[in-house]
Amino acid sequence: MAVSGIDALIDRLRTTYTRVDAARAHEEFLAGALLVDIRYQALRERDGLIPGALVVERNELEWRLDPEGSHRLPEATDHGIRVIVVCNEGYASTLAAASLHGLGLPGATDLTGGFQAWRSAGLPVAPPTPS
């Protein structure tokens, strides 16, 4: 496979599943989907949190959401769970969702525009906590 760059990779990955916008992510979250915030700590401290979202650092995501893994979160109950990954602007979350597909989680997707789109849509955000 020829190297085509990160933008081409992200474009290709996004053709393999359906992403969700902020309103749809909120609706699915209220209906029981796992909303997983993979933003790094400095961004969470700067911008705040989505109330009820699971915070999982990107480098731990696969270990925490693998239903068969020894380090899984209690919420990672089976391969059929709906997972919506949230990063800051919707790029890293595409890579994360594709990785979760590789673990056998076909219900994984990501939020188009990331946390910034969530906040811009006026959806709930808890203020940052002082460090």
Side-chain angles (χ1 to χ4, degrees):
M1 173 185 237
V3 176
S4 56
I6 189 65
D7 292 332
L9 174 62
I10 287 175
D11 288 345
R12 184 176 58 78
L13 292 172
R14 287 177 176 168
T15 67
T16 65
Y17 65 96
T18 302
R19 303 175 80 210
V20 294
D21 65 15
R24 178 66 185 209
H26 186 245
E27 178 182 299
E28 289 192 33
F29 176 54
L30 293 176
L34 296 180
L35 198 60
V36 181
D37 186 344
I38 63 168
R39 293 175 301 142
Y40 53 88
Q41 184 174 349
L43 288 177
R44 296 190 313 266
E45 289 174 354
R46 182 189 78 189
D47 294 338
L49 298 169
I50 298 171
L54 296 174
V55 174
V56 179
E57 295 283 339
R58 175 62 190 99
N59 63 331
E60 297 179 353
L61 184 70
E62 291 80 2
W63 283 268
R64 300 293 186 234
L65 292 182
D66 180 358
E68 297 176 14
S70 60
H71 293 65
R72 73 176 178 84
L73 293 170
E75 294 86 353
T77 54
D78 63 62
H79 287 91
I81 60 174
R82 178 65 161 170
V83 177
I84 303 169
V85 183
V86 179
C87 68
N88 193 48
E89 295 181 339
Y91 296 96
S93 57
T94 293
L95 298 170
S99 181
L100 293 176
H101 292 163
L103 280 179
L105 296 169
T109 189
D110 73 312
L111 172 57
T112 303
F115 178 85
Q116 299 306 322
W118 179 278
R119 183 170 61 182
S120 292
L123 294 168
V125 174
T129 55
S131 312

